[in-house]
């Protein structure tokens, strides 16, 4: 028997925020931080690995915040009370992100990873900052006030962990 998401108790949702959402945010902020470090030092393939990691975790969180999908196996922000949020950044980059990072198909032969002179590969920090904006929107959403304290603690912990990843090599990207 698998518990349906909408049958989760509030305590279980707090645990989910503290473990799973923390993991996604921490990995996104950490990989964005090391991506910036690797990029600035010309670390070659490490840049790509950090970029891919950031994109994977960003997409997971973008889907959490912006999708209203009815799937009993996938948790969305709507399960915590709020309506889905909007992100013009994710709307702009969703298809290129799926096509060039997350799915392997023939559509890759028709590149669309360039938008208004910007390349998908340069969106790592942009995505991380947009996720933080959505996260803060969730924190401040009155419908989700029951989770506000937990969300703030998790964001602070993930941000501090990413700051530690910078190890004095760059200014912390997220404060």
């Amino acid at each position: 028997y698998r518990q349906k998401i909408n049958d989760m108790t509030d305590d279980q949702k707090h645990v989910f925020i503290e473990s799973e959402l923390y993991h996604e945010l921490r990995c996104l902020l950490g990989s964005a931080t090391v991506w910036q470090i690797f990029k600035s030092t010309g670390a070659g393939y490490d840049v790509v690995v950090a970029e891919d990691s950031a994109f994977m975790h960003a997409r997971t969180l973008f889907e959490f915040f912006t999708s209203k999908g009815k799937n009993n196996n996938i948790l969305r922000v709507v399960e915590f009370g709020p309506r889905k949020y909007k992100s013009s950044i994710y709307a702009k980059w969703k298809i290129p992100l799926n096509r060039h990072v997350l799915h392997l198909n023939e559509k890759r032969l028709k590149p669309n990873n360039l938008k208004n002179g910007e390349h998908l590969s340069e969106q790592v920090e942009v995505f991380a900052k947009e996720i933080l904006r959505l996260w803060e929107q969730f924190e401040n959403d009155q419908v989700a006030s029951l989770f506000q304290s937990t969300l703030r603690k998790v964001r602070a912990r993930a941000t501090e962990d990413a700051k530690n990843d910078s190890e004095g090599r760059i200014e912390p990207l997220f404060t």
Side-chain angles (χ1 to χ4, degrees):
Y1 169 77
R2 292 176 71 179
Q3 182 178 23
K4 291 182 180 177
I5 288 169
N6 54 6
D7 291 340
M8 288 176 69
T9 66
D10 289 341
D11 287 341
Q12 289 170 320
K13 289 178 182 178
H14 280 283
V15 169
F16 185 86
I17 293 167
E18 292 169 341
S19 61
E20 301 308 316
L21 284 182
Y22 162 76
H23 172 77
E24 294 300 326
L25 184 63
R26 192 275 177 264
C27 288
L28 170 59
L29 300 182
S31 57
T33 298
V34 297
W35 172 79
Q36 190 71 281
I37 293 167
F38 291 155
K39 222 175 86 170
S40 68
T41 61
Y45 189 68
D46 290 337
V47 176
V48 175
V49 172
E51 178 182 298
D52 283 353
S53 178
F55 285 159
M56 295 291 293
H57 295 288
R59 189 228 191 196
T60 298
L61 289 166
F62 276 131
E63 287 296 312
F64 173 80
F65 286 119
T66 66
S67 178
K68 66 174 182 175
K70 302 280 188 202
N71 184 330
N72 283 338
N73 297 319
I74 299 173
L75 196 60
R76 311 275 192 213
V77 74
V78 297
E79 305 297 340
F80 292 80
R83 294 179 182 216
K84 70 177 186 154
Y85 300 133
K86 294 186 187 300
S87 169
S88 60
I89 291 171
Y90 187 49
K92 175 181 177 180
W93 291 104
K94 183 177 183 175
I95 291 172
L97 185 60
N98 282 310
R99 183 176 288 176
H100 296 280
V101 179
L102 304 165
H103 301 289
L104 189 58
N105 62 45
E106 77 282 353
K107 292 180 181 177
R108 284 187 176 193
L109 298 174
K110 297 177 183 173
N112 69 339
N113 51 359
L114 195 63
K115 300 280 184 182
N116 300 326
E118 299 173 311
H119 196 280
L120 175 63
S121 66
E122 294 297 319
Q123 303 310 305
V124 172
E125 190 175 341
V126 172
F127 287 178
K129 288 181 177 181
E130 177 68 351
I131 289 298
L132 284 172
R133 183 192 70 77
L134 293 167
W135 190 283
E136 289 177 13
Q137 187 175 349
F138 187 21
E139 281 179 13
N140 296 316
D141 198 317
Q142 290 304 309
V143 181
S145 62
L146 176 65
F147 306 105
Q148 187 176 58
S149 175
T150 302
L151 287 163
R152 286 192 174 138
K153 286 178 197 169
V154 164
R155 179 175 46 86
R157 188 171 133 215
T159 303
E160 185 62 27
D161 289 344
K163 179 180 174 186
N164 291 337
D165 293 337
S166 70
E167 297 178 3
R169 293 181 282 181
I170 61 169
E171 286 295 314
L173 302 175
F174 314 103
T175 55

